[in-house]
Amino acid sequence: MVTRRNFITNAMKGVTGLGVAFAASSVSRYALAGLPEAVIMNNSKTYPPLLPESGRLFNPVVTLNGWSLPWRMNNNWKEFHLIAEPVVREIAPGMKAHLWGYNGQSPGPTIEVVEGDKVRIFVTNRLPEHTTIHWHGQPLPNGMDGVGGLNQPQIKPGKTFVYEFEAMRSGTFMYHPHADEMVQMAMGMMGFWVTHPKDPNFMKVDRDFCFLLNSYDIDPGSYTPKVNTMLDFNLWTFNSRVFPGIDSLVCRQGDRVRIRVGNLTMTNHPIHLHGMNFVIAGTDGGWINPNARWPEVTTDVAVGQMRAIEFDATLPGDWAFHCHKAHHTMNAMGHNVPTMIGVDTAEISKNINKLIPDYMSMGESGMASMGEMHMPLPQNTLPMMTGTGQFGPIEMGGMFTVVKIRENQKVGDYSDPGWYKNPQGTVAYEWKGSLDEPVRAEEVEMKKGEIEVKARKPHSHCHG
Ligand SMILES: [Cu+2]
């Protein structure tokens, strides 16, 4: 039998942050006949793997800027307690959002079980409206599928419902409401679920990360998402965080690494890793036979889909890992800003300044200066492009983070090693010699329907 005290002890082993968070609320005595006590998280740190102290062995995952929910065993049932409630989530230092989530955070905690586990989840509704939870991707009895009205009555505010099913298939799953779905998902109600294989050595990896793709529409200067937005979201997040608030994915060189991604936004995200290729090891439907996996450096994750990618962390360094839609690596910005590249705005600005002294035109040579500019922002608003690396402004926001691979990172150590120390002679450098004018094609003529190109012969030095 496992008590909450065991969880706390377990959590505190080498994990100061989690211990502090869990110990913050007192350990209470409860009867196993009652509800499992719910653990509430009060911060957005990335917690190290929660090693199983009861139930069957598995290799736990690391949730990016998140945590896994402790459970208790009760006569062979693995019991969890989720509380649907309003939460405050720090999106990145400098901005907090008033969201709805589970157990103190959005997304809710990751639920980790083992294939074949009998799982019982108590869901308490502390929202101002009814809700349900749908266990996205799970094969289960129809009445446990969580579609309000179709499979069960909705859970009214103040009520607790119980879901019971066997985790029949190992793989990557999500959970989210199927009640007032557009509003509740726009407010951040979702979480990750991992069902580990029965055999802990089946497709074992050294590091197993997971996070959800989600998005919000929060006006600059405000705290609460607009819930009727359909497509035009302005905050593109990994687990309700934006860069530079998203932690790095820290690996030891040579590790086999898995990253599981689930998409609960309303658009697709081409997820791109620099430096190394990966294979698609799993989809929504389960694991892909190793012989059938294909290599990629970008994989599109469609709405409602999950992907587990795997790679060997062969190359040490700080490797960008991000959504390839350029506007998804930016934070809230003014929409409908005209392109000003090539426009001489100096004259225009002078005239406008006579009327509006603070007027400033932007972007006549691109927008990169935005990354360095410290403009006054409304309160609770993040810069559009931000983050600073060892070489200067990174000019990113939103769905962007760094995979940090280090030769001397210890096994099981997820702490940030700082910026990569590049070996001498391996960083792009400035050419300090003379710069010749580029060679251009001199003449293009049309003759008798044919295209004849007369170009200046390239200089002999081009041929070495
Ligand atoms: Cu994207």
Side-chain angles (χ1 to χ4, degrees):
M1 187 195 300
V2 167
T3 66
R4 186 153 176 278
R5 188 177 293 279
N6 295 128
F7 289 129
I8 292 162
T9 314
N10 185 16
M12 286 177 87
K13 280 176 194 155
V15 189
T16 45
L18 195 60
V20 168
F22 284 7
S25 59
S26 65
V27 180
S28 69
R29 289 167 295 274
Y30 56 85
L32 279 179
L35 278 168
E37 194 175 7
V39 179
I40 306 291
M41 181 52 70
N42 61 6
N43 68 73
S44 52
K45 281 189 259 182
T46 301
Y47 284 95
L50 183 62
L51 300 167
E53 223 181 46
S54 64
R56 286 177 294 160
L57 265 185
F58 61 84
N59 302 300
V61 296
V62 168
T63 305
L64 194 55
N65 289 101
W67 58 299
S68 287
L69 189 62
W71 67 88
R72 74 175 183 195
M73 294 303 298
N74 186 3
N75 291 325
N76 272 334
W77 286 84
K78 198 171 258 186
E79 294 185 336
F80 297 88
H81 191 180
L82 285 172
I83 296 191
E85 61 180 358
V87 302
V88 175
R89 175 71 169 179
E90 186 192 63
I91 302 285
M95 184 190 178
K96 285 181 173 156
H98 294 178
L99 304 178
W100 289 355
Y102 301 94
N103 300 48
Q105 294 294 314
S106 159
T110 298
I111 292 179
E112 295 185 76
V113 301
V114 180
E115 182 185 2
D117 273 353
K118 284 164 25 177
V119 186
R120 179 178 293 131
I121 307 131
F122 298 83
V123 178
T124 300
N125 183 8
R126 288 192 190 150
L127 297 170
E129 69 169 2
H130 70 212
T131 190
T132 64
I133 301 187
H134 165 59
W135 313 99
H136 190 115
Q138 302 277 2
L140 35 60
N142 187 239
M144 295 292 163
D145 199 41
V147 179
L150 179 67
N151 307 125
Q152 65 166 93
Q154 285 88 353
I155 311 169
K156 296 259 180 325
K159 300 290 181 197
T160 296
F161 269 52
V162 184
Y163 293 89
E164 291 173 341
F165 57 91
E166 182 186 332
M168 289 167 66
R169 170 165 78 71
S170 81
T172 304
F173 305 89
M174 312 186 273
Y175 62 89
H176 63 81
H178 235 293
D180 197 13
E181 199 174 334
M182 186 170 154
V183 165
Q184 296 193 5
M185 302 237 309
M187 287 295 284
M189 299 198 67
M190 54 192 71
F192 218 93
W193 177 303
V194 174
T195 300
H196 295 281
K198 250 182 229 166
D199 174 4
N201 290 315
F202 177 73
M203 291 202 285
K204 192 177 175 186
V205 292
D206 300 299
R207 298 193 186 224
D208 196 339
F209 298 98
C210 68
F211 61 90
L212 290 170
L213 304 165
N214 44 7
S215 61
Y216 299 98
D217 185 16
I218 304 178
D219 278 339
S222 69
Y223 290 80
T224 307
K226 288 151 84 174
V227 293
N228 291 317
T229 297
M230 293 177 199
L231 292 170
D232 207 7
F233 296 87
N234 64 10
L235 283 167
W236 301 96
T237 54
F238 288 172
N239 261 9
S240 302
R241 294 281 283 184
V242 299
F243 183 77
I246 304 173
D247 284 339
S248 298
L249 301 160
V250 179
C251 307
R252 174 184 162 89
Q253 189 178 6
D255 275 350
R256 180 70 174 177
V257 181
R258 178 182 296 137
I259 305 176
R260 307 170 191 246
V261 181
N263 182 2
L264 287 177
T265 72
M266 296 303 119
T267 188
N268 62 312
H269 301 280
I271 298 297
H272 177 48
L273 174 65
H274 292 212
M276 290 143 290
N277 61 338
F278 54 75
V279 292
I280 315 297
T283 71
D284 320 42
W287 298 107
I288 297 172
N289 184 310
N291 295 324
R293 297 173 186 183
W294 64 96
E296 284 193 308
V297 294
T298 306
T299 192
D300 201 23
V301 187
V303 181
Q305 281 188 334
M306 288 157 280
R307 290 287 178 270
I309 66 169
E310 285 182 21
F311 62 97
D312 292 318
T314 51
L315 300 176
D318 292 338
W319 301 106
F321 181 64
H322 61 97
C323 174
H324 216 286
K325 287 185 175 174
H327 65 293
H328 291 182
T329 51
M330 280 191 169
N331 299 329
M333 59 186 290
H335 286 248
N336 307 316
V337 176
T339 297
M340 299 299 277
I341 292 175
V343 177
D344 177 9
T345 56
E347 258 323 289
I348 303 168
S349 293
K350 240 187 279 172
N351 290 330
I352 296 178
N353 274 332
K354 290 174 193 162
L355 301 167
I356 311 164
D358 289 337
Y359 176 80
M360 178 169 59
S361 63
M362 293 179 293
E364 56 265 36
S365 56
M367 299 288 267
S369 58
M370 296 289 291
E372 289 175 277
M373 202 181 285
H374 296 287
M375 288 189 302
L377 291 165
Q379 64 163 353
N380 201 47
T381 301
L382 296 167
M384 189 174 82
M385 296 150 71
T386 182
T388 307
Q390 59 177 321
F391 300 108
I394 297 176
E395 302 171 351
M396 289 279 143
M399 294 173 157
F400 179 93
T401 188
V402 181
V403 172
K404 293 187 174 177
I405 300 173
R406 296 292 183 275
E407 193 183 354
N408 46 15
Q409 190 78 16
K410 292 198 174 63
V411 173
D413 180 8
Y414 291 83
S415 62
D416 192 332
W419 302 115
Y420 181 58
K421 290 182 184 63
N422 299 274
Q424 204 176 3
T426 65
V427 178
Y429 59 95
E430 183 184 355
W431 168 251
K432 298 230 168 107
S434 63
L435 284 175
D436 291 343
E437 274 301 298
V439 179
R440 298 180 198 278
E442 282 179 334
E443 215 181 334
V444 179
E445 282 182 19
M446 294 279 278
K447 275 185 182 172
K448 296 171 191 168
E450 282 178 301
I451 297 171
E452 186 180 300
V453 178
K454 288 181 189 170
R456 204 159 90 194
K457 261 178 80 177
H459 294 307
S460 56
H461 68 242
C462 295
H463 300 282

